Amino acid sequence: MHYDVYIIDNLVKFNDFKEYSKDKIKNVNVSLFFHFQDLIEQIEFVDILIVHIDSMEYFNIIEKYLKTEPYTIFIINDNSDLKNIPNSKKYDILYNPLDFDKLIYKIKLYTDNIRNHLQLKKEEEFSNSIINNINYPIFSIDAEQIIFANDHFYELTNCYSTEELNEKYKNHRNIFEKEEGCITNLNNELLNNSKDKNLKVCLKDAQNKKRFFSIQKIYLSHNDTSIIVLNDISHEVEHKHELYKLLYTDNLTKFPNRAKLIEDLQNNTINLKAVALLNINSFKEVNDFFGHKVGDSILIDVAKLLSNSIRNCDYLKLYKFPSDNYCIVSTIESKDDFIELIKKIIESIYKKVFTFEHYEIDIRMTAGISFSDKNNKLITADIALQTAKKDHKDYLIFYDELDKFQEYENNMFWTKKLKSAFINDNIEVYFQPLVNNETLNVDKYECLVRLIDEDGKVVAPFFFLDISKKSNQYTKLTKIVIEKSFKKFENLPFEFSVNISYEDIENVGFLDFIKEMLKKYDVKNRVVFEILEDENIKNYNLLTSFIDEIKNLGCKVAIDDFGSGYSNFEHLLKMNVDYLKIDSSLIKNIAKNENSYKIAKTIIEFAKNLNLKTIAEYVENEEIFNIIKELGATYSQGYYFSAPIPEPNIYEFKKKITNE
């Protein structure tokens, strides 16, 4: 770039400067004027003016001819000359006797700054052109305001300039809406320091509709600004919200369901002090006699009555459990008040006449109450409820001795059975095939534990699995199944799965045992560890770490019983799993229960979005199989294809399917 330097000096004191500066300043043309008329003819555009104080009268005259405001340097004798220069602070100053090198330095400093400014401007224009072509809303901020936005952000906010944006939001802290799980402050410490890609914000668009975005902040230290990149995740948030409603809301009454209570307990968002389970007496008879439409109406009316009974107490909450069951929980210590409340509810239900069209229906309710600190309040309240119904009482409060004798007797019986089975090597593994829904081939097997009784009877785990946990034999049982399964499939070409629980993962040395077995048997690329995600999980970091270790060994991981009510979608997104196994309660009801169908469908679509394969267990008939195949589940497992068998026998199974 070329620069013009004009020197105004009527005393001809700069005659030698032009020659002196010729080789010292590149791309600079120095012109010396000491005739006023010559100066006026060429002064229209100038980059730098150098004015000797003795030529001040010339400068005062030519100011009106200048088309630009040039960088101006005055050469003065001493500070007393400053009073002769109007607005002297806006000009640069050098003193006589003039040092040419200092003047050259001033000129070079100015021209270098201009070049740098132009270069930065070109770079900024280039960056902005690139950003405008990125298909995301992007804007840039300084400490307070928006200084740049691309077209996508203008369209999103219905603004057309940064001035309009700053007028609309006043401060960039006002851009985002307050919404649960969203950040609002762009100077948020979490946003500045975190690599978490799950941070999100909420912003109202041009139609005043709330939109959700993942957010990335890129800090530019050279000019103390930041670039904000937004990625629209509104569809994902809405999808998750709909899924949340399906999973955690009773479809009929719209009150939170049992799964929601379990979720609240698991996340420590509620601290139970008292639980009451309430059941409508002989509700099946009402349904059978009056029909399901009337029955549904009563379920809704009862829910409203219960809700109204506790509406003034923020420490009480109502949950709608499956069928004709309700649950009221309290978060404060007030046993007498809670018991009195349940008594009044039972009495009000008894006095209430429920009407539907021309029907008048009287109903009664029974309640089980628990304040137990030693045992699970939900379980103990249910024990109290069942005992109250058996004893024909309106309500019963759980006490520690209730139902203990039968429990101890059963525990001792199966503990003895397990001990004998371990000694006599009577723990066996059965195998249930998993069928590829596209090819109808058996691609995998699930390994299932069985106990062989003294008389040769095969006993399902329903009878002894929980007892093995109470008697500290559960992990021993798991290890036997793992080794026998590894040995069985070492020379078979199938993928196979074994079940493990959080209790196993928590057990010291369990991971080392798996590593030892993988060294002993060459199955690492074919074994799948099925993990049941339930309310017993206390430390998700431990679970995630275990999964990562297993994956690093070459194994695969499945989440079992997904959709049972304990499944945590937030945690699932952070776990590196391969399969989701849809809970059997959803699959077995998928043909007759719309809610089960919707949840299963949502889970399958959710899994596809995460590139996870899905397994539908409890496929009992052709109707169920056709539905889950249509929904896009990857594999089927159930008695429609095969019961668990003592030996993997793919050839016999293929023959059976072909014959059918």
Side-chain angles (χ1 to χ4, degrees):
M1 185 173 178
H2 185 79
Y3 299 93
D4 287 322
V5 177
Y6 287 5
I7 300 176
I8 304 173
D9 180 22
N10 62 350
L11 300 178
V12 196
K13 295 185 178 182
F14 288 89
N15 280 334
D16 298 329
F17 179 73
K18 184 173 182 179
E19 187 65 28
Y20 181 80
S21 63
K22 184 166 55 176
D23 297 325
K24 298 181 180 294
I25 315 175
K26 304 296 182 183
N27 300 318
V28 173
N29 179 40
V30 177
S31 300
L32 180 63
F33 293 94
F34 42 85
H35 295 298
F36 176 70
Q37 192 59 41
D38 294 340
L39 180 62
I40 293 300
E41 289 175 359
Q42 302 184 44
I43 201 64
E44 189 175 9
F45 295 101
V46 61
D47 298 301
I48 301 172
L49 268 178
I50 300 172
V51 183
H52 194 279
I53 189 65
D54 295 336
S55 303
M56 186 66 198
E57 59 189 271
Y58 283 9
F59 177 76
N60 291 336
I61 295 172
I62 66 166
E63 268 192 309
K64 64 181 179 179
Y65 294 100
L66 295 171
K67 298 295 183 183
T68 60
E69 188 173 335
Y71 168 57
T72 304
I73 304 172
F74 274 95
I75 313 299
I76 65 175
N77 298 310
D78 53 48
N79 288 341
S80 64
D81 289 333
L82 291 174
K83 66 180 182 295
N84 299 318
I85 305 173
N87 300 319
S88 61
K89 290 184 179 179
K90 65 184 279 191
Y91 304 119
D92 216 335
I93 302 295
L94 286 176
Y95 293 88
N96 280 322
L98 180 62
D99 185 331
F100 283 174
D101 287 331
K102 286 184 179 179
L103 181 58
I104 288 171
Y105 173 76
K106 293 270 188 183
I107 295 171
K108 287 179 70 175
L109 189 64
Y110 172 77
T111 56
D112 287 346
N113 284 339
I114 291 293
R115 288 191 192 97
N116 291 337
H117 175 74
L118 291 173
Q119 181 64 28
L120 285 173
K121 189 173 181 181
K122 286 180 181 178
E123 290 175 0
E124 183 178 336
E125 289 173 353
F126 179 69
S127 299
N128 290 349
S129 68
I130 292 175
I131 290 173
N132 268 322
N133 286 306
I134 297 175
N135 198 28
Y136 294 109
I138 298 175
F139 61 98
S140 182
I141 58 171
D142 59 17
E144 294 293 333
Q145 292 188 314
I146 299 170
I147 57 175
F148 169 78
N150 70 351
D151 293 340
H152 295 289
F153 191 72
Y154 284 133
E155 183 180 351
L156 175 66
T157 56
N158 198 29
C159 293
Y160 301 94
S161 67
T162 53
E163 290 77 17
E164 193 173 346
L165 283 170
N166 288 314
E167 177 63 28
K168 179 176 181 178
Y169 296 113
K170 305 303 181 186
N171 187 298
H172 60 62
R173 296 178 182 85
N174 302 324
I175 296 174
F176 300 117
E177 301 291 316
K178 289 183 179 179
E179 198 72 24
E180 184 178 357
C182 296
I183 63 170
T184 57
N185 187 356
L186 289 173
N187 295 326
N188 185 296
E189 186 177 345
L190 185 64
L191 178 60
N192 290 338
N193 301 321
S194 175
K195 296 180 181 178
D196 188 354
K197 296 180 180 179
N198 294 320
L199 290 175
K200 62 179 182 288
V201 293
C202 176
L203 186 151
K204 285 186 178 178
D205 64 12
Q207 287 73 44
N208 211 34
K209 179 183 176 183
K210 286 184 178 180
R211 300 260 296 275
F212 294 88
F213 300 85
S214 63
I215 183 169
Q216 183 179 3
K217 180 179 178 182
I218 305 167
Y219 178 67
L220 307 177
S221 58
H222 72 278
N223 61 358
D224 197 25
T225 63
S226 297
I227 297 173
I228 310 298
V229 183
L230 304 178
N231 181 22
D232 196 337
I233 57 170
S234 299
H235 178 72
E236 296 172 31
V237 172
E238 289 169 9
H239 190 268
K240 182 179 175 182
H241 181 66
E242 287 301 314
L243 184 61
Y244 185 90
K245 286 200 298 184
L246 281 171
L247 286 174
Y248 298 124
T249 306
D250 178 65
N251 193 44
L252 181 65
T253 65
K254 308 308 177 187
F255 282 96
N257 60 12
R258 184 180 187 276
K260 174 57 178 164
L261 176 56
I262 298 297
E263 175 78 1
D264 290 343
L265 293 173
Q266 191 176 16
N267 292 333
N268 295 318
T269 57
I270 187 170
N271 182 20
L272 289 190
K273 297 298 182 181
V275 173
L277 292 179
L278 300 101
N279 174 261
I280 300 175
N281 297 348
S282 305
F283 183 71
K284 185 178 184 301
E285 294 176 8
V286 175
N287 259 339
D288 291 345
F289 187 80
F290 296 103
H292 288 281
K293 192 174 182 181
V294 175
D296 288 350
S297 175
I298 288 175
L299 291 174
I300 293 170
D301 287 346
V302 168
K304 289 178 180 176
L305 190 151
L306 296 178
S307 178
N308 288 334
S309 299
I310 64 173
R311 68 179 182 274
N312 295 323
C313 303
D314 56 5
Y315 56 87
L316 297 172
K317 191 166 184 180
L318 172 66
Y319 295 86
K320 173 63 177 69
F321 276 25
S323 187
D324 54 341
N325 296 293
Y326 302 82
C327 178
I328 295 176
V329 303
S330 174
T331 58
I332 66 169
E333 296 271 10
S334 183
K335 292 184 180 181
D336 292 340
D337 290 343
F338 191 72
I339 294 168
E340 192 62 31
L341 169 72
I342 301 304
K343 287 168 65 176
K344 285 182 179 179
I345 287 174
I346 292 172
E347 185 179 350
S348 65
I349 293 287
Y350 177 67
K351 291 179 179 179
K352 169 80 174 175
V353 177
F354 293 87
T355 58
F356 184 84
E357 295 179 353
H358 58 281
Y359 299 118
E360 290 187 355
I361 305 167
D362 295 308
I363 66 170
R364 299 198 68 170
M365 295 194 84
T366 301
I369 303 171
S370 176
F371 304 101
S372 176
D373 291 324
K374 297 180 181 178
N375 301 288
N376 185 303
K377 288 184 178 66
L378 282 176
I379 295 174
T380 49
D382 187 58
I383 291 173
L385 172 63
Q386 300 310 319
T387 307
K389 292 177 79 71
K390 182 180 176 182
D391 295 346
H392 305 290
K393 295 181 178 180
D394 285 340
Y395 71 94
L396 187 67
I397 302 166
F398 177 81
Y399 51 94
D400 288 340
E401 291 75 19
L402 192 64
D403 208 36
K404 287 293 182 183
F405 179 80
Q406 185 179 350
E407 181 183 341
Y408 288 149
E409 185 179 39
N410 186 62
N411 287 354
M412 287 187 291
F413 174 80
W414 283 107
T415 299
K416 184 177 180 182
K417 288 271 190 186
L418 272 171
K419 183 177 179 181
S420 176
F422 287 138
I423 293 171
N424 297 304
D425 193 24
N426 281 339
I427 300 298
E428 293 294 344
V429 181
Y430 271 50
F431 311 92
Q432 190 170 32
L434 276 69
V435 176
N436 186 308
N437 287 338
E438 292 297 324
T439 65
L440 287 183
N441 287 330
V442 175
D443 289 353
K444 315 170 189 300
Y445 283 89
E446 181 179 7
C447 302
L448 303 166
V449 65
R450 295 292 185 267
L451 185 150
I452 310 302
D453 209 343
E454 289 86 353
D455 58 3
K457 180 182 176 182
V458 180
V459 181
F462 170 82
F463 296 97
F464 59 87
L465 206 59
D466 285 342
I467 306 301
S468 72
K469 293 179 181 179
K470 293 177 182 177
S471 59
N472 295 322
Q473 299 180 97
Y474 181 80
T475 299
K476 184 177 181 180
L477 201 61
T478 304
K479 288 180 178 181
I480 291 173
V481 172
I482 287 175
E483 180 158 18
K484 289 194 173 186
S485 301
F486 281 22
K487 185 176 181 180
K488 177 66 68 176
F489 283 91
E490 185 177 30
N491 297 312
L492 292 175
F494 305 112
E495 192 170 272
F496 65 99
S497 62
V498 292
N499 292 287
I500 60 175
S501 71
Y502 181 77
E503 286 90 341
D504 294 321
I505 294 168
E506 211 176 20
N507 188 280
V508 177
F510 182 71
L511 183 60
D512 289 335
F513 169 78
I514 290 176
K515 292 177 180 179
E516 181 185 335
M517 290 297 102
L518 289 172
K519 287 180 182 179
K520 187 174 180 181
Y521 303 101
D522 186 21
V523 294
K524 64 181 179 182
N525 295 321
R526 286 178 289 116
V527 63
V528 180
F529 289 93
E530 286 191 20
I531 302 172
L532 179 65
E533 189 196 19
D534 60 19
E535 73 270 33
N536 292 323
I537 297 174
K538 305 177 188 72
N539 184 346
Y540 268 93
N541 290 331
L542 175 63
L543 177 61
T544 304
S545 175
F546 175 85
I547 290 173
D548 290 340
E549 286 268 14
I550 288 296
K551 296 281 288 184
N552 288 336
L553 293 172
C555 309
K556 294 181 180 178
V557 176
I559 297 298
D560 198 9
D561 287 352
F562 194 81
S564 62
Y566 305 118
S567 307
N568 191 308
F569 287 83
E570 289 289 341
H571 289 129
L572 177 65
L573 293 171
K574 298 175 184 177
M575 292 190 288
N576 184 19
V577 303
D578 305 282
Y579 300 97
L580 287 187
K581 198 166 189 180
I582 305 169
D583 183 59
S584 60
S585 65
L586 297 175
I587 301 302
K588 70 180 179 182
N589 293 314
I590 200 168
K592 54 187 178 183
N593 184 290
E594 186 180 356
N595 204 33
S596 294
Y597 176 91
K598 286 181 179 178
I599 294 174
K601 180 181 179 182
T602 304
I603 289 171
I604 291 169
E605 290 175 353
F606 179 77
K608 285 180 179 177
N609 287 334
L610 295 180
N611 294 319
L612 303 180
K613 295 179 179 179
T614 48
I615 301 166
E617 56 180 347
Y618 214 94
V619 178
E620 300 295 279
N621 54 53
E622 185 178 8
E623 184 182 16
I624 293 175
F625 171 69
N626 288 335
I627 292 172
I628 62 103
K629 183 179 179 182
E630 181 183 353
L631 290 178
T634 319
Y635 299 99
S636 291
Q637 179 182 352
Y639 277 68
Y640 174 61
F641 295 102
S642 173
I645 52 180
E647 288 289 334
N649 195 333
I650 179 62
Y651 304 104
E652 180 180 317
F653 180 74
K654 277 189 173 179
K655 184 178 179 182
K656 178 183 174 185
I657 293 295
T658 305
N659 290 339
E660 289 182 352

